[in-house]
Protein backbone atom coordinates (compact mmCIF):
# COMPACT_ATOMS: atom_id res chain seq x y z
CA UNK A 1 0.00 0.00 0.00
CA UNK A 2 1.28 3.42 -0.92
CA UNK A 3 2.15 5.83 1.91
CA UNK A 4 -0.27 8.29 0.32
CA UNK A 5 -3.40 6.35 1.17
CA UNK A 6 -5.72 6.44 4.10
CA UNK A 7 -8.82 4.32 4.66
CA UNK A 8 -11.60 5.35 7.00
CA UNK A 9 -15.27 4.82 7.71
CA UNK A 10 -17.32 7.99 7.42
CA UNK A 11 -20.70 8.00 9.16
CA UNK A 12 -23.42 10.07 7.48
CA UNK A 13 -26.47 9.25 9.60
CA UNK A 14 -27.38 8.39 13.20
CA UNK A 15 -30.54 6.41 12.50
CA UNK A 16 -28.93 3.19 11.25
CA UNK A 17 -25.56 1.47 11.38
CA UNK A 18 -25.65 1.05 7.60
CA UNK A 19 -25.42 4.82 7.14
CA UNK A 20 -21.69 4.83 6.52
CA UNK A 21 -19.16 5.15 3.72
CA UNK A 22 -15.85 3.33 3.29
CA UNK A 23 -13.45 6.01 2.07
CA UNK A 24 -9.90 5.70 0.75
CA UNK A 25 -8.06 8.93 0.03
CA UNK A 26 -5.02 8.77 -2.23
CA UNK A 27 -2.26 11.31 -2.85
CA UNK A 28 -4.09 14.60 -3.51
CA UNK A 29 -4.20 15.52 -7.21
CA UNK A 30 -6.26 18.29 -8.77
CA UNK A 31 -6.75 16.43 -12.04
CA UNK A 32 -7.96 13.23 -10.37
CA UNK A 33 -11.45 11.81 -10.11
CA UNK A 34 -13.18 10.24 -7.16
CA UNK A 35 -14.64 6.81 -7.89
CA UNK A 36 -17.81 6.40 -5.84
CA UNK A 37 -19.50 3.01 -5.66
CA UNK A 38 -23.08 2.02 -4.84
CA UNK A 39 -23.47 -1.71 -4.18
CA UNK A 40 -26.31 -3.98 -5.28
CA UNK A 41 -28.12 -6.83 -3.51
CA UNK A 42 -31.71 -6.08 -4.50
CA UNK A 43 -32.09 -3.35 -1.84
CA UNK A 44 -32.09 -6.06 0.83
CA UNK A 45 -29.18 -8.52 0.88
CA UNK A 46 -27.35 -7.99 4.20
CA UNK A 47 -24.32 -9.83 2.82
CA UNK A 48 -23.74 -7.15 0.18
CA UNK A 49 -22.39 -3.93 1.70
CA UNK A 50 -19.81 -1.24 0.99
CA UNK A 51 -17.13 -3.94 1.44
CA UNK A 52 -18.24 -5.49 -1.87
CA UNK A 53 -16.10 -2.87 -3.61
CA UNK A 54 -12.85 -4.03 -1.96
CA UNK A 55 -11.74 -6.41 -4.72
CA UNK A 56 -12.42 -3.84 -7.45
CA UNK A 57 -10.66 -1.10 -5.53
CA UNK A 58 -7.47 -3.09 -5.05
CA UNK A 59 -7.37 -3.92 -8.77
CA UNK A 60 -7.95 -0.27 -9.74
CA UNK A 61 -5.27 0.98 -7.38
CA UNK A 62 -2.62 -0.90 -9.33
CA UNK A 63 -3.56 0.62 -12.68
CA UNK A 64 -2.13 4.11 -12.33
CA UNK A 65 -5.41 5.80 -13.22
CA UNK A 66 -6.00 9.46 -12.30
CA UNK A 67 -7.94 8.65 -9.13
CA UNK A 68 -8.03 10.99 -6.11
CA UNK A 69 -10.12 8.78 -3.87
CA UNK A 70 -12.51 5.87 -3.54
CA UNK A 71 -15.79 5.82 -1.67
CA UNK A 72 -18.20 2.91 -1.26
CA UNK A 73 -21.60 3.78 0.15
CA UNK A 74 -23.62 1.59 2.51
CA UNK A 75 -27.28 2.49 2.85
CA UNK A 76 -30.33 1.28 4.78
CA UNK A 77 -31.75 -1.98 3.46
CA UNK A 78 -35.24 -3.46 3.24
CA UNK A 79 -36.31 -6.60 5.09
CA UNK A 80 -35.04 -9.93 3.73
CA UNK A 81 -37.24 -13.04 4.09
CA UNK A 82 -34.18 -15.30 4.47
CA UNK A 83 -32.71 -13.11 7.22
CA UNK A 84 -35.54 -12.61 9.72
CA UNK A 85 -34.79 -10.33 12.70
CA UNK A 86 -36.58 -10.19 16.03
CA UNK A 87 -37.51 -6.54 16.62
CA UNK A 88 -37.67 -7.10 20.39
CA UNK A 89 -34.04 -8.24 20.59
CA UNK A 90 -32.48 -6.37 17.64
CA UNK A 91 -30.90 -2.95 18.10
CA UNK A 92 -33.07 -0.58 15.98
CA UNK A 93 -29.84 0.61 14.38
CA UNK A 94 -29.33 -2.92 13.01
CA UNK A 95 -32.95 -3.66 12.12
CA UNK A 96 -33.56 -3.89 8.37
CA UNK A 97 -36.92 -2.44 7.39
CA UNK A 98 -36.15 0.41 5.01
CA UNK A 99 -38.66 1.39 2.34
CA UNK A 100 -38.36 3.76 -0.59
CA UNK A 101 -37.31 6.61 -0.47
CA UNK A 102 -34.90 5.69 2.32
CA UNK A 103 -32.35 3.93 0.07
CA UNK A 104 -31.97 6.82 -2.37
CA UNK A 105 -32.27 9.41 0.42
CA UNK A 106 -29.29 7.77 2.16
CA UNK A 107 -27.25 7.70 -1.04
CA UNK A 108 -27.93 11.39 -1.65
CA UNK A 109 -26.99 12.36 1.91
CA UNK A 110 -23.80 10.30 1.58
CA UNK A 111 -22.89 12.06 -1.67
CA UNK A 112 -23.54 15.46 -0.08
CA UNK A 113 -21.30 14.58 2.86
CA UNK A 114 -18.49 13.38 0.58
CA UNK A 115 -18.80 16.57 -1.44
CA UNK A 116 -18.65 18.73 1.73
CA UNK A 117 -15.70 16.86 3.15
CA UNK A 118 -13.58 16.40 0.02
CA UNK A 119 -14.88 19.09 -2.36
CA UNK A 120 -14.34 17.25 -5.65
CA UNK A 121 -17.10 19.12 -7.50
CA UNK A 122 -18.06 17.34 -10.72
CA UNK A 123 -14.81 15.35 -10.75
CA UNK A 124 -16.33 12.07 -9.76
CA UNK A 125 -17.54 8.87 -11.38
CA UNK A 126 -20.61 7.28 -9.88
CA UNK A 127 -20.53 3.50 -10.26
CA UNK A 128 -23.47 1.27 -9.42
CA UNK A 129 -23.97 -2.47 -9.60
CA UNK A 130 -27.45 -3.95 -10.09
CA UNK A 131 -29.84 -1.96 -7.84
CA UNK A 132 -26.82 0.27 -7.13
CA UNK A 133 -27.04 1.32 -10.79
CA UNK A 134 -30.73 2.15 -10.25
CA UNK A 135 -29.68 4.35 -7.32
CA UNK A 136 -26.85 5.99 -9.29
CA UNK A 137 -29.18 7.11 -12.07
CA UNK A 138 -31.95 8.02 -9.61
CA UNK A 139 -29.48 10.45 -8.04
CA UNK A 140 -29.45 12.48 -11.29
CA UNK A 141 -33.13 12.14 -12.26
CA UNK A 142 -35.01 15.44 -12.40
CA UNK A 143 -37.53 14.01 -9.95
CA UNK A 144 -37.94 10.71 -8.11
CA UNK A 145 -41.55 9.81 -7.30
CA UNK A 146 -42.20 9.47 -3.58
CA UNK A 147 -38.92 11.23 -2.81
CA UNK A 148 -38.26 14.60 -4.43
CA UNK A 149 -39.49 16.91 -7.19
CA UNK A 150 -36.17 18.62 -7.95
CA UNK A 151 -32.53 17.69 -8.32
CA UNK A 152 -30.55 18.00 -5.10
CA UNK A 153 -26.88 17.21 -5.75
CA UNK A 154 -24.71 20.33 -5.42
CA UNK A 155 -22.44 18.92 -8.14
CA UNK A 156 -23.43 16.09 -10.44
CA UNK A 157 -21.05 13.31 -11.53
CA UNK A 158 -19.21 13.74 -14.84
CA UNK A 159 -19.74 10.04 -15.56
CA UNK A 160 -22.05 7.29 -14.39
CA UNK A 161 -21.26 3.60 -14.84
CA UNK A 162 -24.12 1.15 -14.52
CA UNK A 163 -23.00 -2.47 -14.21
CA UNK A 164 -25.66 -5.21 -14.55
CA UNK A 165 -28.10 -2.45 -13.75
CA UNK A 166 -31.82 -2.51 -13.06
CA UNK A 167 -33.40 0.44 -14.88
CA UNK A 168 -37.05 -0.52 -15.26
CA UNK A 169 -38.66 -2.25 -12.27
CA UNK A 170 -41.93 -3.30 -13.86
CA UNK A 171 -40.10 -4.75 -16.84
CA UNK A 172 -37.73 -6.68 -14.56
CA UNK A 173 -40.69 -8.26 -12.74
CA UNK A 174 -42.52 -9.00 -16.00
CA UNK A 175 -39.47 -10.60 -17.60
CA UNK A 176 -39.07 -12.87 -14.57
CA UNK A 177 -42.74 -13.28 -13.71
CA UNK A 178 -42.33 -16.98 -12.85
CA UNK A 179 -39.79 -16.27 -10.13
CA UNK A 180 -41.54 -14.81 -7.08
CA UNK A 181 -38.34 -13.28 -5.67
CA UNK A 182 -38.44 -10.46 -8.22
CA UNK A 183 -41.94 -9.28 -7.25
CA UNK A 184 -40.90 -9.81 -3.62
CA UNK A 185 -37.78 -7.68 -3.56
CA UNK A 186 -39.27 -4.88 -5.65
CA UNK A 187 -42.35 -4.80 -3.44
CA UNK A 188 -40.15 -5.07 -0.37
CA UNK A 189 -38.29 -1.93 -1.39
CA UNK A 190 -41.02 0.12 -3.10
CA UNK A 191 -44.39 -1.28 -1.99
CA UNK A 192 -47.11 -2.71 -4.23
CA UNK A 193 -48.00 0.43 -6.23
CA UNK A 194 -46.65 -0.25 -9.71
CA UNK A 195 -47.25 3.36 -10.77
CA UNK A 196 -44.64 4.30 -8.19
CA UNK A 197 -42.28 1.67 -9.65
CA UNK A 198 -42.53 3.47 -12.99
CA UNK A 199 -41.93 6.86 -11.39
CA UNK A 200 -38.65 5.74 -9.83
CA UNK A 201 -37.34 3.74 -12.82
CA UNK A 202 -34.57 5.65 -14.65
CA UNK A 203 -35.53 4.06 -17.99
CA UNK A 204 -39.26 4.82 -17.59
CA UNK A 205 -39.15 8.52 -16.76
CA UNK A 206 -38.62 10.88 -19.70
CA UNK A 207 -38.44 14.67 -20.02
CA UNK A 208 -37.61 16.99 -17.14
CA UNK A 209 -38.34 14.39 -14.45
CA UNK A 210 -36.00 11.85 -16.02
CA UNK A 211 -32.23 11.51 -16.31
CA UNK A 212 -32.68 13.28 -19.64
CA UNK A 213 -33.74 16.53 -17.96
CA UNK A 214 -32.05 16.06 -14.61
CA UNK A 215 -28.44 15.17 -15.40
CA UNK A 216 -27.62 18.58 -16.83
CA UNK A 217 -23.86 18.65 -16.42
CA UNK A 218 -23.28 14.94 -17.13
CA UNK A 219 -20.89 13.94 -19.93
CA UNK A 220 -20.56 10.16 -20.05
CA UNK A 221 -22.86 7.24 -19.36
CA UNK A 222 -21.49 3.69 -19.52
CA UNK A 223 -23.86 0.73 -19.38
CA UNK A 224 -21.94 -2.50 -18.78
CA UNK A 225 -23.67 -5.82 -19.17
CA UNK A 226 -22.77 -9.51 -19.43
CA UNK A 227 -24.91 -11.76 -21.58
CA UNK A 228 -24.16 -14.48 -19.01
CA UNK A 229 -25.51 -12.34 -16.13
CA UNK A 230 -28.25 -14.82 -15.22
CA UNK A 231 -30.22 -12.52 -12.88
CA UNK A 232 -30.84 -9.29 -14.76
CA UNK A 233 -31.80 -9.75 -18.41
CA UNK A 234 -30.38 -7.76 -21.33
CA UNK A 235 -33.57 -5.81 -21.99
CA UNK A 236 -32.75 -3.56 -19.00
CA UNK A 237 -29.73 -2.12 -20.79
CA UNK A 238 -31.72 -1.86 -24.02
CA UNK A 239 -34.44 0.32 -22.49
CA UNK A 240 -31.93 2.43 -20.56
CA UNK A 241 -29.95 3.00 -23.75
CA UNK A 242 -33.13 4.25 -25.36
CA UNK A 243 -33.97 6.50 -22.40
CA UNK A 244 -30.50 8.07 -22.62
CA UNK A 245 -30.80 8.73 -26.37
CA UNK A 246 -32.10 12.30 -25.99
CA UNK A 247 -29.68 13.00 -23.15
CA UNK A 248 -26.74 12.01 -25.36
CA UNK A 249 -27.95 14.19 -28.26
CA UNK A 250 -28.22 17.30 -26.09
CA UNK A 251 -25.16 19.31 -25.07
CA UNK A 252 -24.15 19.38 -21.43
CA UNK A 253 -25.09 22.52 -19.50
CA UNK A 254 -21.66 23.61 -18.33
CA UNK A 255 -19.57 26.71 -18.84
CA UNK A 256 -17.23 26.32 -21.83
CA UNK A 257 -14.31 27.75 -19.88
CA UNK A 258 -14.29 24.49 -17.95
CA UNK A 259 -13.97 22.34 -21.07
CA UNK A 260 -13.60 22.99 -24.74
CA UNK A 261 -16.71 21.05 -25.73
CA UNK A 262 -19.99 20.06 -24.21
CA UNK A 263 -20.42 16.80 -26.08
CA UNK A 264 -21.81 13.73 -24.41
CA UNK A 265 -21.21 10.03 -24.81
CA UNK A 266 -23.30 6.97 -24.17
CA UNK A 267 -21.39 3.69 -24.33
CA UNK A 268 -22.52 0.10 -23.98
CA UNK A 269 -19.77 -2.15 -22.65
CA UNK A 270 -19.95 -5.90 -22.92
CA UNK A 271 -18.47 -7.63 -19.88
CA UNK A 272 -18.16 -11.31 -18.90
CA UNK A 273 -19.35 -13.54 -16.08
CA UNK A 274 -22.45 -14.04 -13.99
CA UNK A 275 -24.25 -11.26 -12.09
CA UNK A 276 -22.31 -11.10 -8.81
CA UNK A 277 -18.97 -12.14 -10.28
CA UNK A 278 -18.53 -8.53 -11.42
CA UNK A 279 -17.82 -7.37 -7.85
CA UNK A 280 -16.91 -10.70 -6.21
CA UNK A 281 -13.54 -10.89 -7.91
CA UNK A 282 -13.71 -7.29 -9.11
CA UNK A 283 -12.15 -7.90 -12.54
CA UNK A 284 -15.17 -6.96 -14.63
CA UNK A 285 -16.15 -4.00 -12.47
CA UNK A 286 -12.57 -2.73 -12.65
CA UNK A 287 -12.69 -3.18 -16.41
CA UNK A 288 -15.81 -1.05 -16.63
CA UNK A 289 -14.18 1.72 -14.58
CA UNK A 290 -10.96 1.53 -16.62
CA UNK A 291 -13.01 1.74 -19.82
CA UNK A 292 -14.73 4.82 -18.40
CA UNK A 293 -11.38 6.54 -17.77
CA UNK A 294 -10.33 5.74 -21.37
CA UNK A 295 -13.50 7.41 -22.61
CA UNK A 296 -12.95 10.45 -20.38
CA UNK A 297 -9.40 10.72 -21.72
CA UNK A 298 -10.65 10.63 -25.31
CA UNK A 299 -13.10 13.37 -24.38
CA UNK A 300 -10.17 15.35 -22.89
CA UNK A 301 -11.83 15.26 -19.50
CA UNK A 302 -9.12 13.21 -17.79
CA UNK A 303 -5.30 13.18 -18.05
N1 LIG B 1 -28.88 -11.57 -3.40
C1 LIG B 1 -30.14 -10.87 -3.54
C2 LIG B 1 -30.71 -11.06 -4.92
C3 LIG B 1 -30.15 -10.07 -5.84
O1 LIG B 1 -29.23 -9.38 -5.50
C4 LIG B 1 -30.74 -9.94 -7.17
C5 LIG B 1 -31.53 -10.95 -7.69
C6 LIG B 1 -32.10 -10.81 -8.95
C7 LIG B 1 -31.88 -9.66 -9.69
C8 LIG B 1 -31.09 -8.65 -9.17
C9 LIG B 1 -30.51 -8.78 -7.89
N2 LIG B 1 -29.76 -7.78 -7.32
C10 LIG B 1 -29.80 -6.48 -7.64
O2 LIG B 1 -29.36 -5.61 -6.93
C11 LIG B 1 -31.13 -11.29 -2.48
O3 LIG B 1 -30.69 -11.87 -1.49
O4 LIG B 1 -32.31 -10.98 -2.61
Amino acid sequence: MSVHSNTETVVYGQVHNLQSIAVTTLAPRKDGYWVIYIHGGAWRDPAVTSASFDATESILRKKGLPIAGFASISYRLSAHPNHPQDPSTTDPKDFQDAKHPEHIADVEVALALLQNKYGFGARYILVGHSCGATLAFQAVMGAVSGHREQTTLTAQPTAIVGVAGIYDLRRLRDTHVDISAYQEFIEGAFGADEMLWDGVSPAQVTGTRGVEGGWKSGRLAVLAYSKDDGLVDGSQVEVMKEALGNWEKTEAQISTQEDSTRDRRLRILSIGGVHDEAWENGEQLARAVTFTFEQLQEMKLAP
Side-chain angles (χ1 to χ4, degrees), residues 40-45 80 129-131 166 172 182 185 231-232 275:
W43 294 275
R44 68 178 192 178
D45 191 340
H80 198 305
H129 177 261
S130 200
C131 74
I166 296 169
L172 186 75
Y182 287 82
F185 73 67
L231 291 180
V232 174
H275 190 73

Side-chain angles (χ1 to χ4, degrees), residues 2-3 6 33 54 80 91 182 193 209 213 238 245 278 286-287 300:
S2 129
V3 286
N6 181 45
Y33 279 79
D54 291 356
H80 198 305
D91 182 338
Y182 287 82
D193 178 5
R209 295 179 70 84
E238 287 310 311
R287 222 189 107 213
K300 310 235 180 297

Side-chain angles (χ1 to χ4, degrees), residues 44 79-82 173 179-189:
R44 68 178 192 178
H80 198 305
N82 302 350
R173 189 275 317 275
I179 305 167
S180 61
Y182 287 82
Q183 173 79 31
E184 230 170 64
F185 73 67
I186 299 170
E187 210 176 305

